[in-house]
Amino acid sequence: MVGRFAAAAYVVLIGGLAIAGAAHEQAAYYLVAVALTLPSGAVALPVMYGGYALISAVGGIWFPVAAPDGEEAAWLSTGSATLNVVALMCAAVVNVLLAERVLRRRHPVHQ
């Protein structure tokens, strides 16, 4: 079974990278987080891009997607950053669960 501390540290590391990507608005942090969450990161990446489009489209019905100075609206930046962090952390949790399942199958516990 994967150590609980190692599993928690892995999920926190991925969350930290995603938060750093959101705070610094740099894709490099997100790409490292996606690479570290493979194979589940392969699902998280389209969720992040599709989620941005969905948030922008639905929110754009009621609120402008651009601020008066031409920058992205704060509600859209915050919403998409939150989605990115949640998607990547969920991918990390799925990886931990998959690793535990694989290890359990390789080393079954006999009672």
Side-chain angles (χ1 to χ4, degrees), residues 20-107:
H24 296 289
E25 296 180 353
Q26 293 184 355
Y29 294 105
Y30 289 131
L31 291 175
V32 170
V34 168
L36 290 174
T37 58
L38 289 173
S40 299
V43 174
L45 193 59
V47 167
M48 291 163 53
Y49 280 100
Y52 177 85
L54 185 63
I55 292 169
S56 177
V58 173
I61 294 172
W62 294 283
F63 304 105
V65 294
D69 62 356
E71 292 290 320
E72 186 176 66
W75 67 266
L76 183 55
S77 297
T78 303
S80 64
T82 302
L83 174 69
N84 293 349
V85 171
V86 169
L88 288 168
M89 290 185 77
C90 285
V93 169
V94 168
N95 282 345
V96 168
L97 296 175
L98 288 173
E100 286 181 352
R101 177 172 277 185
V102 167
L103 290 174
R104 201 174 311 128
R105 282 190 178 174
R106 286 190 180 172
H107 305 287

